[in-house]
Amino acid sequence: MIILDVPEMHCTKCVERISEALSKENLQYKVSLEEKTVTIDGCEKCASTAINTLEDLGFEAKIR
């Protein structure tokens, strides 16, 4: 598992947008609004895909 910090995630609409985009990439993930994180169940390539997807949505994401 790789944990990504997504500090700009502020509301349930953010969670919905993130979830929809990551699902389209066929990633296994868990989004936590409370912790402002996205946990990726996969390899470095999966994490890279998730980071790029989040950046395309306007969210900065960094590996914890």
Side-chain angles (χ1 to χ4, degrees), residues 2-62:
I2 299 170
I3 298 173
L4 305 177
D5 287 315
V6 188
E8 297 161 344
M9 183 178 4
H10 296 291
C11 64
T12 56
K13 188 65 177 172
C14 294
V15 173
E16 288 174 17
R17 289 179 59 221
I18 289 168
S19 296
E20 182 178 327
L22 295 179
S23 291
K24 285 182 181 177
E25 295 294 333
N26 296 315
L27 296 171
Q28 299 295 319
Y29 64 90
K30 179 182 173 200
V31 180
S32 172
L33 178 58
E34 296 79 24
E35 295 180 18
K36 297 187 182 213
T37 61
V38 174
T39 304
I40 303 298
D41 187 14
C43 62
E44 293 275 332
K45 182 176 184 276
C46 295
S48 178
T49 299
I51 289 170
N52 291 333
T53 300
L54 291 167
E55 287 177 353
D56 287 346
L57 293 174
F59 294 100
E60 181 181 352
K62 293 184 180 176

